[in-house]
Amino acid sequence: MECNAVAYDTPIPGYATKNCANIRLWKATPISGFDLNSFNAGNYEASVHASSEVGNITQVLYPNDNMYQGKLLRLQQQYLWTSASLQDILRRFIKLEKPWTALPDYVCIQMNDTHPTLAIPELMRILLDEENIEWSQAFAITTKVFAYTK
């Protein structure tokens, strides 16, 4: 299922300070929304199927994963959030016009649980498939960017 990840920034003011941090949250939206042809043919459920299916990804955090559908939804959530965040980080890095080998000097991604670990193969995928970086160099960059605590 393809979808767009729409960023929503939420300011987090500090206590007894003039500083304000920002947390970026993501919402899944369909690439193609309402299907007018299905609606006009009387198939009302199909006309909104894509919107409701995609909307489920970010509707509820941590769905029950005791069944297959829950496991699938959790995987979709994890991929959407890690991929969207990683692509946003890389978009900002690219603006610096630095070589990819400098990425670990500017970016460190701390993972405190297993959920965001999909970002590791996603960074490898981006570096290999989209940036055409050799495997050994992409792996070296990736291993320097990520840190893990559990």
Side-chain angles (χ1 to χ4, degrees), residues 93-131:
F93 175 75
I94 289 169
K95 286 183 178 181
L96 299 175
E97 298 182 353
K98 300 286 184 184
W100 283 106
T101 52
L103 182 65
D105 297 332
Y106 291 85
V107 174
C108 179
I109 299 174
Q110 176 66 37
M111 299 176 295
N112 293 323
D113 203 344
T114 58
H115 300 98
T117 57
L118 283 176
I120 296 169
E122 178 66 357
L123 179 56
M124 285 294 293
R125 184 196 68 76
I126 291 169
L127 294 175
L128 294 169
D129 297 342
E130 295 180 18
E131 299 302 327

PDB file of all heavy atoms in Angstrom, residues 93-131:
ATOM      1  N   PHE A  93      20.019  17.165   5.415  1.00  0.00           N
ATOM      2  CA  PHE A  93      21.452  16.969   5.224  1.00  0.00           C
ATOM      3  C   PHE A  93      21.869  17.333   3.796  1.00  0.00           C
ATOM      4  O   PHE A  93      22.905  17.970   3.597  1.00  0.00           O
ATOM      5  CB  PHE A  93      21.846  15.522   5.534  1.00  0.00           C
ATOM      6  CG  PHE A  93      23.285  15.233   5.241  1.00  0.00           C
ATOM      7  CD1 PHE A  93      24.289  15.690   6.075  1.00  0.00           C
ATOM      8  CD2 PHE A  93      23.650  14.528   4.099  1.00  0.00           C
ATOM      9  CE1 PHE A  93      25.627  15.453   5.795  1.00  0.00           C
ATOM     10  CE2 PHE A  93      24.980  14.277   3.813  1.00  0.00           C
ATOM     11  CZ  PHE A  93      25.976  14.748   4.663  1.00  0.00           C
ATOM     12  N   ILE A  94      21.092  16.939   2.824  1.00  0.00           N
ATOM     13  CA  ILE A  94      21.421  17.224   1.417  1.00  0.00           C
ATOM     14  C   ILE A  94      21.542  18.728   1.182  1.00  0.00           C
ATOM     15  O   ILE A  94      22.385  19.172   0.393  1.00  0.00           O
ATOM     16  CB  ILE A  94      20.374  16.577   0.485  1.00  0.00           C
ATOM     17  CG1 ILE A  94      20.560  15.058   0.494  1.00  0.00           C
ATOM     18  CG2 ILE A  94      20.455  17.134  -0.926  1.00  0.00           C
ATOM     19  CD1 ILE A  94      19.445  14.278  -0.169  1.00  0.00           C
ATOM     20  N   LYS A  95      20.759  19.515   1.883  1.00  0.00           N
ATOM     21  CA  LYS A  95      20.826  20.978   1.743  1.00  0.00           C
ATOM     22  C   LYS A  95      22.187  21.534   2.159  1.00  0.00           C
ATOM     23  O   LYS A  95      22.581  22.612   1.728  1.00  0.00           O
ATOM     24  CB  LYS A  95      19.735  21.654   2.570  1.00  0.00           C
ATOM     25  CG  LYS A  95      18.362  21.534   1.980  1.00  0.00           C
ATOM     26  CD  LYS A  95      17.366  22.289   2.841  1.00  0.00           C
ATOM     27  CE  LYS A  95      15.983  22.235   2.250  1.00  0.00           C
ATOM     28  NZ  LYS A  95      15.011  22.991   3.062  1.00  0.00           N
ATOM     29  N   LEU A  96      22.921  20.791   2.990  1.00  0.00           N
ATOM     30  CA  LEU A  96      24.246  21.234   3.428  1.00  0.00           C
ATOM     31  C   LEU A  96      25.298  21.083   2.333  1.00  0.00           C
ATOM     32  O   LEU A  96      26.400  21.622   2.458  1.00  0.00           O
ATOM     33  CB  LEU A  96      24.690  20.443   4.667  1.00  0.00           C
ATOM     34  CG  LEU A  96      23.821  20.568   5.912  1.00  0.00           C
ATOM     35  CD1 LEU A  96      24.329  19.624   7.005  1.00  0.00           C
ATOM     36  CD2 LEU A  96      23.794  22.012   6.402  1.00  0.00           C
ATOM     37  N   GLU A  97      24.967  20.310   1.300  1.00  0.00           N
ATOM     38  CA  GLU A  97      25.876  20.057   0.177  1.00  0.00           C
ATOM     39  C   GLU A  97      27.198  19.439   0.636  1.00  0.00           C
ATOM     40  O   GLU A  97      28.276  19.807   0.180  1.00  0.00           O
ATOM     41  CB  GLU A  97      26.104  21.330  -0.637  1.00  0.00           C
ATOM     42  CG  GLU A  97      24.833  21.869  -1.261  1.00  0.00           C
ATOM     43  CD  GLU A  97      25.034  23.104  -2.102  1.00  0.00           C
ATOM     44  OE1 GLU A  97      26.155  23.673  -2.120  1.00  0.00           O
ATOM     45  OE2 GLU A  97      24.069  23.521  -2.759  1.00  0.00           O
ATOM     46  N   LYS A  98      27.103  18.500   1.546  1.00  0.00           N
ATOM     47  CA  LYS A  98      28.264  17.762   2.039  1.00  0.00           C
ATOM     48  C   LYS A  98      28.277  16.382   1.388  1.00  0.00           C
ATOM     49  O   LYS A  98      27.244  15.879   0.956  1.00  0.00           O
ATOM     50  CB  LYS A  98      28.185  17.588   3.569  1.00  0.00           C
ATOM     51  CG  LYS A  98      28.133  18.887   4.344  1.00  0.00           C
ATOM     52  CD  LYS A  98      29.473  19.543   4.356  1.00  0.00           C
ATOM     53  CE  LYS A  98      29.447  20.806   5.217  1.00  0.00           C
ATOM     54  NZ  LYS A  98      30.696  21.512   5.172  1.00  0.00           N
ATOM     55  N   PRO A  99      29.431  15.723   1.347  1.00  0.00           N
ATOM     56  CA  PRO A  99      29.463  14.355   0.811  1.00  0.00           C
ATOM     57  C   PRO A  99      28.761  13.400   1.780  1.00  0.00           C
ATOM     58  O   PRO A  99      28.694  13.656   2.985  1.00  0.00           O
ATOM     59  CB  PRO A  99      30.956  14.051   0.713  1.00  0.00           C
ATOM     60  CG  PRO A  99      31.597  14.945   1.720  1.00  0.00           C
ATOM     61  CD  PRO A  99      30.754  16.194   1.760  1.00  0.00           C
ATOM     62  N   TRP A 100      28.250  12.295   1.242  1.00  0.00           N
ATOM     63  CA  TRP A 100      27.540  11.323   2.078  1.00  0.00           C
ATOM     64  C   TRP A 100      28.427  10.780   3.190  1.00  0.00           C
ATOM     65  O   TRP A 100      27.929  10.429   4.263  1.00  0.00           O
ATOM     66  CB  TRP A 100      26.986  10.184   1.221  1.00  0.00           C
ATOM     67  CG  TRP A 100      25.753  10.613   0.502  1.00  0.00           C
ATOM     68  CD1 TRP A 100      25.631  10.900  -0.823  1.00  0.00           C
ATOM     69  CD2 TRP A 100      24.465  10.843   1.071  1.00  0.00           C
ATOM     70  NE1 TRP A 100      24.352  11.290  -1.116  1.00  0.00           N
ATOM     71  CE2 TRP A 100      23.609  11.258   0.039  1.00  0.00           C
ATOM     72  CE3 TRP A 100      23.949  10.734   2.358  1.00  0.00           C
ATOM     73  CZ2 TRP A 100      22.269  11.564   0.246  1.00  0.00           C
ATOM     74  CZ3 TRP A 100      22.613  11.038   2.567  1.00  0.00           C
ATOM     75  CH2 TRP A 100      21.791  11.448   1.516  1.00  0.00           C
ATOM     76  N   THR A 101      29.714  10.734   2.967  1.00  0.00           N
ATOM     77  CA  THR A 101      30.614  10.232   4.014  1.00  0.00           C
ATOM     78  C   THR A 101      30.597  11.136   5.252  1.00  0.00           C
ATOM     79  O   THR A 101      30.990  10.707   6.332  1.00  0.00           O
ATOM     80  CB  THR A 101      32.047  10.106   3.478  1.00  0.00           C
ATOM     81  OG1 THR A 101      32.437  11.348   2.884  1.00  0.00           O
ATOM     82  CG2 THR A 101      32.143   8.982   2.453  1.00  0.00           C
ATOM     83  N   ALA A 102      30.133  12.372   5.112  1.00  0.00           N
ATOM     84  CA  ALA A 102      30.067  13.306   6.241  1.00  0.00           C
ATOM     85  C   ALA A 102      28.765  13.160   7.032  1.00  0.00           C
ATOM     86  O   ALA A 102      28.616  13.796   8.081  1.00  0.00           O
ATOM     87  CB  ALA A 102      30.208  14.745   5.746  1.00  0.00           C
ATOM     88  N   LEU A 103      27.843  12.335   6.563  1.00  0.00           N
ATOM     89  CA  LEU A 103      26.552  12.193   7.254  1.00  0.00           C
ATOM     90  C   LEU A 103      26.711  11.879   8.743  1.00  0.00           C
ATOM     91  O   LEU A 103      26.055  12.536   9.572  1.00  0.00           O
ATOM     92  CB  LEU A 103      25.688  11.124   6.559  1.00  0.00           C
ATOM     93  CG  LEU A 103      24.297  10.915   7.143  1.00  0.00           C
ATOM     94  CD1 LEU A 103      23.428  12.159   6.971  1.00  0.00           C
ATOM     95  CD2 LEU A 103      23.627   9.706   6.497  1.00  0.00           C
ATOM     96  N   PRO A 104      27.581  10.953   9.147  1.00  0.00           N
ATOM     97  CA  PRO A 104      27.708  10.670  10.590  1.00  0.00           C
ATOM     98  C   PRO A 104      28.245  11.849  11.410  1.00  0.00           C
ATOM     99  O   PRO A 104      28.088  11.874  12.626  1.00  0.00           O
ATOM    100  CB  PRO A 104      28.691   9.492  10.646  1.00  0.00           C
ATOM    101  CG  PRO A 104      28.638   8.877   9.293  1.00  0.00           C
ATOM    102  CD  PRO A 104      28.362  10.000   8.351  1.00  0.00           C
ATOM    103  N   ASP A 105      28.874  12.822  10.757  1.00  0.00           N
ATOM    104  CA  ASP A 105      29.347  14.010  11.472  1.00  0.00           C
ATOM    105  C   ASP A 105      28.203  14.971  11.777  1.00  0.00           C
ATOM    106  O   ASP A 105      28.346  15.854  12.630  1.00  0.00           O
ATOM    107  CB  ASP A 105      30.408  14.749  10.642  1.00  0.00           C
ATOM    108  CG  ASP A 105      31.651  13.913  10.419  1.00  0.00           C
ATOM    109  OD1 ASP A 105      31.961  13.051  11.272  1.00  0.00           O
ATOM    110  OD2 ASP A 105      32.312  14.104   9.369  1.00  0.00           O
ATOM    111  N   TYR A 106      27.076  14.814  11.081  1.00  0.00           N
ATOM    112  CA  TYR A 106      25.946  15.720  11.230  1.00  0.00           C
ATOM    113  C   TYR A 106      24.697  15.040  11.786  1.00  0.00           C
ATOM    114  O   TYR A 106      23.791  15.718  12.263  1.00  0.00           O
ATOM    115  CB  TYR A 106      25.598  16.353   9.879  1.00  0.00           C
ATOM    116  CG  TYR A 106      26.651  17.313   9.409  1.00  0.00           C
ATOM    117  CD1 TYR A 106      27.773  16.867   8.710  1.00  0.00           C
ATOM    118  CD2 TYR A 106      26.547  18.667   9.673  1.00  0.00           C
ATOM    119  CE1 TYR A 106      28.755  17.747   8.288  1.00  0.00           C
ATOM    120  CE2 TYR A 106      27.519  19.558   9.252  1.00  0.00           C
ATOM    121  CZ  TYR A 106      28.623  19.089   8.569  1.00  0.00           C
ATOM    122  OH  TYR A 106      29.591  19.971   8.164  1.00  0.00           O
ATOM    123  N   VAL A 107      24.639  13.723  11.699  1.00  0.00           N
ATOM    124  CA  VAL A 107      23.422  13.001  12.084  1.00  0.00           C
ATOM    125  C   VAL A 107      23.778  11.810  12.961  1.00  0.00           C
ATOM    126  O   VAL A 107      24.637  11.007  12.609  1.00  0.00           O
ATOM    127  CB  VAL A 107      22.665  12.500  10.826  1.00  0.00           C
ATOM    128  CG1 VAL A 107      21.489  11.622  11.215  1.00  0.00           C
ATOM    129  CG2 VAL A 107      22.211  13.658   9.956  1.00  0.00           C
ATOM    130  N   CYS A 108      23.100  11.713  14.090  1.00  0.00           N
ATOM    131  CA  CYS A 108      23.169  10.523  14.935  1.00  0.00           C
ATOM    132  C   CYS A 108      21.732  10.178  15.305  1.00  0.00           C
ATOM    133  O   CYS A 108      21.002  11.017  15.830  1.00  0.00           O
ATOM    134  CB  CYS A 108      23.979  10.781  16.198  1.00  0.00           C
ATOM    135  SG  CYS A 108      24.044   9.314  17.262  1.00  0.00           S
ATOM    136  N   ILE A 109      21.332   8.967  15.003  1.00  0.00           N
ATOM    137  CA  ILE A 109      19.972   8.523  15.295  1.00  0.00           C
ATOM    138  C   ILE A 109      20.043   7.514  16.428  1.00  0.00           C
ATOM    139  O   ILE A 109      20.607   6.432  16.270  1.00  0.00           O
ATOM    140  CB  ILE A 109      19.307   7.923  14.044  1.00  0.00           C
ATOM    141  CG1 ILE A 109      19.236   8.989  12.944  1.00  0.00           C
ATOM    142  CG2 ILE A 109      17.924   7.372  14.389  1.00  0.00           C
ATOM    143  CD1 ILE A 109      18.736   8.476  11.614  1.00  0.00           C
ATOM    144  N   GLN A 110      19.505   7.899  17.570  1.00  0.00           N
ATOM    145  CA  GLN A 110      19.507   7.061  18.764  1.00  0.00           C
ATOM    146  C   GLN A 110      18.206   6.280  18.807  1.00  0.00           C
ATOM    147  O   GLN A 110      17.127   6.865  18.827  1.00  0.00           O
ATOM    148  CB  GLN A 110      19.637   7.926  20.022  1.00  0.00           C
ATOM    149  CG  GLN A 110      19.545   7.155  21.308  1.00  0.00           C
ATOM    150  CD  GLN A 110      20.720   6.204  21.498  1.00  0.00           C
ATOM    151  OE1 GLN A 110      21.845   6.510  21.149  1.00  0.00           O
ATOM    152  NE2 GLN A 110      20.450   5.043  22.065  1.00  0.00           N
ATOM    153  N   MET A 111      18.307   4.968  18.823  1.00  0.00           N
ATOM    154  CA  MET A 111      17.127   4.109  18.915  1.00  0.00           C
ATOM    155  C   MET A 111      17.071   3.519  20.320  1.00  0.00           C
ATOM    156  O   MET A 111      18.034   2.911  20.762  1.00  0.00           O
ATOM    157  CB  MET A 111      17.194   2.998  17.867  1.00  0.00           C
ATOM    158  CG  MET A 111      17.224   3.538  16.452  1.00  0.00           C
ATOM    159  SD  MET A 111      17.431   2.260  15.211  1.00  0.00           S
ATOM    160  CE  MET A 111      19.070   1.654  15.602  1.00  0.00           C
ATOM    161  N   ASN A 112      15.954   3.727  20.994  1.00  0.00           N
ATOM    162  CA  ASN A 112      15.812   3.257  22.363  1.00  0.00           C
ATOM    163  C   ASN A 112      14.886   2.056  22.486  1.00  0.00           C
ATOM    164  O   ASN A 112      14.491   1.695  23.577  1.00  0.00           O
ATOM    165  CB  ASN A 112      15.302   4.390  23.261  1.00  0.00           C
ATOM    166  CG  ASN A 112      16.335   5.475  23.398  1.00  0.00           C
ATOM    167  OD1 ASN A 112      17.523   5.200  23.471  1.00  0.00           O
ATOM    168  ND2 ASN A 112      15.898   6.712  23.403  1.00  0.00           N
ATOM    169  N   ASP A 113      14.529   1.464  21.384  1.00  0.00           N
ATOM    170  CA  ASP A 113      13.658   0.290  21.387  1.00  0.00           C
ATOM    171  C   ASP A 113      13.801  -0.395  20.035  1.00  0.00           C
ATOM    172  O   ASP A 113      14.494   0.106  19.143  1.00  0.00           O
ATOM    173  CB  ASP A 113      12.210   0.711  21.634  1.00  0.00           C
ATOM    174  CG  ASP A 113      11.361  -0.419  22.202  1.00  0.00           C
ATOM    175  OD1 ASP A 113      11.791  -1.585  22.133  1.00  0.00           O
ATOM    176  OD2 ASP A 113      10.267  -0.138  22.715  1.00  0.00           O
ATOM    177  N   THR A 114      13.125  -1.509  19.865  1.00  0.00           N
ATOM    178  CA  THR A 114      13.226  -2.237  18.603  1.00  0.00           C
ATOM    179  C   THR A 114      12.371  -1.629  17.500  1.00  0.00           C
ATOM    180  O   THR A 114      12.627  -1.863  16.328  1.00  0.00           O
ATOM    181  CB  THR A 114      12.805  -3.710  18.801  1.00  0.00           C
ATOM    182  OG1 THR A 114      11.472  -3.739  19.317  1.00  0.00           O
ATOM    183  CG2 THR A 114      13.756  -4.423  19.738  1.00  0.00           C
ATOM    184  N   HIS A 115      11.361  -0.854  17.833  1.00  0.00           N
ATOM    185  CA  HIS A 115      10.441  -0.325  16.826  1.00  0.00           C
ATOM    186  C   HIS A 115      11.129   0.472  15.715  1.00  0.00           C
ATOM    187  O   HIS A 115      10.824   0.275  14.541  1.00  0.00           O
ATOM    188  CB  HIS A 115       9.352   0.528  17.480  1.00  0.00           C
ATOM    189  CG  HIS A 115       8.537  -0.234  18.471  1.00  0.00           C
ATOM    190  ND1 HIS A 115       8.797  -0.176  19.817  1.00  0.00           N
ATOM    191  CD2 HIS A 115       7.512  -1.097  18.314  1.00  0.00           C
ATOM    192  CE1 HIS A 115       7.942  -0.962  20.445  1.00  0.00           C
ATOM    193  NE2 HIS A 115       7.151  -1.533  19.565  1.00  0.00           N
ATOM    194  N   PRO A 116      12.040   1.376  16.019  1.00  0.00           N
ATOM    195  CA  PRO A 116      12.628   2.187  14.940  1.00  0.00           C
ATOM    196  C   PRO A 116      13.775   1.514  14.187  1.00  0.00           C
ATOM    197  O   PRO A 116      14.383   2.133  13.329  1.00  0.00           O
ATOM    198  CB  PRO A 116      13.130   3.429  15.678  1.00  0.00           C
ATOM    199  CG  PRO A 116      13.437   2.948  17.057  1.00  0.00           C
ATOM    200  CD  PRO A 116      12.426   1.867  17.343  1.00  0.00           C
ATOM    201  N   THR A 117      14.064   0.248  14.482  1.00  0.00           N
ATOM    202  CA  THR A 117      15.209  -0.387  13.829  1.00  0.00           C
ATOM    203  C   THR A 117      15.019  -0.570  12.324  1.00  0.00           C
ATOM    204  O   THR A 117      15.992  -0.809  11.618  1.00  0.00           O
ATOM    205  CB  THR A 117      15.540  -1.752  14.473  1.00  0.00           C
ATOM    206  OG1 THR A 117      14.382  -2.583  14.421  1.00  0.00           O
ATOM    207  CG2 THR A 117      16.011  -1.575  15.907  1.00  0.00           C
ATOM    208  N   LEU A 118      13.804  -0.437  11.828  1.00  0.00           N
ATOM    209  CA  LEU A 118      13.592  -0.480  10.378  1.00  0.00           C
ATOM    210  C   LEU A 118      14.315   0.665   9.673  1.00  0.00           C
ATOM    211  O   LEU A 118      14.538   0.609   8.467  1.00  0.00           O
ATOM    212  CB  LEU A 118      12.101  -0.422  10.042  1.00  0.00           C
ATOM    213  CG  LEU A 118      11.319  -1.706  10.241  1.00  0.00           C
ATOM    214  CD1 LEU A 118       9.839  -1.474   9.971  1.00  0.00           C
ATOM    215  CD2 LEU A 118      11.843  -2.800   9.342  1.00  0.00           C
ATOM    216  N   ALA A 119      14.698   1.680  10.414  1.00  0.00           N
ATOM    217  CA  ALA A 119      15.428   2.794   9.815  1.00  0.00           C
ATOM    218  C   ALA A 119      16.804   2.355   9.313  1.00  0.00           C
ATOM    219  O   ALA A 119      17.340   2.948   8.374  1.00  0.00           O
ATOM    220  CB  ALA A 119      15.578   3.938  10.820  1.00  0.00           C
ATOM    221  N   ILE A 120      17.366   1.308   9.895  1.00  0.00           N
ATOM    222  CA  ILE A 120      18.696   0.843   9.475  1.00  0.00           C
ATOM    223  C   ILE A 120      18.646   0.302   8.048  1.00  0.00           C
ATOM    224  O   ILE A 120      19.381   0.803   7.179  1.00  0.00           O
ATOM    225  CB  ILE A 120      19.267  -0.182  10.476  1.00  0.00           C
ATOM    226  CG1 ILE A 120      19.478   0.483  11.843  1.00  0.00           C
ATOM    227  CG2 ILE A 120      20.564  -0.782   9.952  1.00  0.00           C
ATOM    228  CD1 ILE A 120      19.780  -0.484  12.962  1.00  0.00           C
ATOM    229  N   PRO A 121      17.801  -0.692   7.745  1.00  0.00           N
ATOM    230  CA  PRO A 121      17.755  -1.139   6.345  1.00  0.00           C
ATOM    231  C   PRO A 121      17.195  -0.067   5.407  1.00  0.00           C
ATOM    232  O   PRO A 121      17.544  -0.041   4.225  1.00  0.00           O
ATOM    233  CB  PRO A 121      16.855  -2.376   6.375  1.00  0.00           C
ATOM    234  CG  PRO A 121      16.115  -2.310   7.651  1.00  0.00           C
ATOM    235  CD  PRO A 121      16.980  -1.545   8.606  1.00  0.00           C
ATOM    236  N   GLU A 122      16.377   0.832   5.929  1.00  0.00           N
ATOM    237  CA  GLU A 122      15.847   1.908   5.074  1.00  0.00           C
ATOM    238  C   GLU A 122      16.958   2.874   4.667  1.00  0.00           C
ATOM    239  O   GLU A 122      17.018   3.305   3.515  1.00  0.00           O
ATOM    240  CB  GLU A 122      14.710   2.652   5.780  1.00  0.00           C
ATOM    241  CG  GLU A 122      14.127   3.796   5.000  1.00  0.00           C
ATOM    242  CD  GLU A 122      13.399   3.417   3.720  1.00  0.00           C
ATOM    243  OE1 GLU A 122      13.366   2.238   3.342  1.00  0.00           O
ATOM    244  OE2 GLU A 122      12.887   4.333   3.054  1.00  0.00           O
ATOM    245  N   LEU A 123      17.863   3.199   5.574  1.00  0.00           N
ATOM    246  CA  LEU A 123      18.996   4.050   5.195  1.00  0.00           C
ATOM    247  C   LEU A 123      19.869   3.333   4.178  1.00  0.00           C
ATOM    248  O   LEU A 123      20.308   3.939   3.191  1.00  0.00           O
ATOM    249  CB  LEU A 123      19.821   4.466   6.415  1.00  0.00           C
ATOM    250  CG  LEU A 123      21.043   5.337   6.104  1.00  0.00           C
ATOM    251  CD1 LEU A 123      20.661   6.609   5.335  1.00  0.00           C
ATOM    252  CD2 LEU A 123      21.804   5.683   7.372  1.00  0.00           C
ATOM    253  N   MET A 124      20.116   2.055   4.396  1.00  0.00           N
ATOM    254  CA  MET A 124      20.898   1.288   3.420  1.00  0.00           C
ATOM    255  C   MET A 124      20.205   1.311   2.054  1.00  0.00           C
ATOM    256  O   MET A 124      20.844   1.518   1.032  1.00  0.00           O
ATOM    257  CB  MET A 124      21.089  -0.154   3.894  1.00  0.00           C
ATOM    258  CG  MET A 124      22.098  -0.320   4.993  1.00  0.00           C
ATOM    259  SD  MET A 124      23.794   0.061   4.499  1.00  0.00           S
ATOM    260  CE  MET A 124      24.136  -1.259   3.341  1.00  0.00           C
ATOM    261  N   ARG A 125      18.886   1.113   2.036  1.00  0.00           N
ATOM    262  CA  ARG A 125      18.139   1.124   0.775  1.00  0.00           C
ATOM    263  C   ARG A 125      18.280   2.465   0.061  1.00  0.00           C
ATOM    264  O   ARG A 125      18.552   2.520  -1.133  1.00  0.00           O
ATOM    265  CB  ARG A 125      16.653   0.836   1.030  1.00  0.00           C
ATOM    266  CG  ARG A 125      15.826   0.747  -0.248  1.00  0.00           C
ATOM    267  CD  ARG A 125      14.349   0.850   0.025  1.00  0.00           C
ATOM    268  NE  ARG A 125      13.925   2.152   0.496  1.00  0.00           N
ATOM    269  CZ  ARG A 125      13.795   3.228  -0.292  1.00  0.00           C
ATOM    270  NH1 ARG A 125      14.070   3.163  -1.577  1.00  0.00           N
ATOM    271  NH2 ARG A 125      13.404   4.380   0.215  1.00  0.00           N
ATOM    272  N   ILE A 126      18.151   3.539   0.796  1.00  0.00           N
ATOM    273  CA  ILE A 126      18.252   4.877   0.197  1.00  0.00           C
ATOM    274  C   ILE A 126      19.659   5.111  -0.353  1.00  0.00           C
ATOM    275  O   ILE A 126      19.828   5.578  -1.478  1.00  0.00           O
ATOM    276  CB  ILE A 126      17.866   5.964   1.225  1.00  0.00           C
ATOM    277  CG1 ILE A 126      16.369   5.886   1.521  1.00  0.00           C
ATOM    278  CG2 ILE A 126      18.241   7.353   0.713  1.00  0.00           C
ATOM    279  CD1 ILE A 126      15.926   6.728   2.709  1.00  0.00           C
ATOM    280  N   LEU A 127      20.673   4.787   0.452  1.00  0.00           N
ATOM    281  CA  LEU A 127      22.047   5.008   0.005  1.00  0.00           C
ATOM    282  C   LEU A 127      22.398   4.142  -1.207  1.00  0.00           C
ATOM    283  O   LEU A 127      23.046   4.613  -2.150  1.00  0.00           O
ATOM    284  CB  LEU A 127      23.031   4.742   1.151  1.00  0.00           C
ATOM    285  CG  LEU A 127      22.948   5.704   2.338  1.00  0.00           C
ATOM    286  CD1 LEU A 127      23.896   5.264   3.450  1.00  0.00           C
ATOM    287  CD2 LEU A 127      23.229   7.139   1.920  1.00  0.00           C
ATOM    288  N   LEU A 128      21.949   2.901  -1.196  1.00  0.00           N
ATOM    289  CA  LEU A 128      22.260   1.988  -2.305  1.00  0.00           C
ATOM    290  C   LEU A 128      21.422   2.274  -3.544  1.00  0.00           C
ATOM    291  O   LEU A 128      21.959   2.462  -4.640  1.00  0.00           O
ATOM    292  CB  LEU A 128      22.039   0.534  -1.878  1.00  0.00           C
ATOM    293  CG  LEU A 128      22.964  -0.010  -0.799  1.00  0.00           C
ATOM    294  CD1 LEU A 128      22.456  -1.343  -0.286  1.00  0.00           C
ATOM    295  CD2 LEU A 128      24.389  -0.133  -1.311  1.00  0.00           C
ATOM    296  N   ASP A 129      20.117   2.303  -3.371  1.00  0.00           N
ATOM    297  CA  ASP A 129      19.206   2.360  -4.520  1.00  0.00           C
ATOM    298  C   ASP A 129      18.967   3.761  -5.058  1.00  0.00           C
ATOM    299  O   ASP A 129      18.793   3.937  -6.256  1.00  0.00           O
ATOM    300  CB  ASP A 129      17.853   1.735  -4.164  1.00  0.00           C
ATOM    301  CG  ASP A 129      17.970   0.265  -3.817  1.00  0.00           C
ATOM    302  OD1 ASP A 129      19.002  -0.355  -4.162  1.00  0.00           O
ATOM    303  OD2 ASP A 129      17.034  -0.265  -3.200  1.00  0.00           O
ATOM    304  N   GLU A 130      18.932   4.730  -4.184  1.00  0.00           N
ATOM    305  CA  GLU A 130      18.620   6.086  -4.638  1.00  0.00           C
ATOM    306  C   GLU A 130      19.856   6.948  -4.826  1.00  0.00           C
ATOM    307  O   GLU A 130      19.872   7.832  -5.677  1.00  0.00           O
ATOM    308  CB  GLU A 130      17.642   6.751  -3.666  1.00  0.00           C
ATOM    309  CG  GLU A 130      16.292   6.043  -3.641  1.00  0.00           C
ATOM    310  CD  GLU A 130      15.297   6.677  -2.688  1.00  0.00           C
ATOM    311  OE1 GLU A 130      15.501   7.847  -2.298  1.00  0.00           O
ATOM    312  OE2 GLU A 130      14.323   5.998  -2.346  1.00  0.00           O
ATOM    313  N   GLU A 131      20.891   6.719  -4.028  1.00  0.00           N
ATOM    314  CA  GLU A 131      22.107   7.534  -4.121  1.00  0.00           C
ATOM    315  C   GLU A 131      23.245   6.805  -4.823  1.00  0.00           C
ATOM    316  O   GLU A 131      24.320   7.376  -5.004  1.00  0.00           O
ATOM    317  CB  GLU A 131      22.533   7.990  -2.721  1.00  0.00           C
ATOM    318  CG  GLU A 131      21.488   8.839  -2.011  1.00  0.00           C
ATOM    319  CD  GLU A 131      21.107  10.101  -2.774  1.00  0.00           C
ATOM    320  OE1 GLU A 131      21.986  10.677  -3.468  1.00  0.00           O
ATOM    321  OE2 GLU A 131      19.936  10.509  -2.686  1.00  0.00           O
TER     322      GLU A 131
END
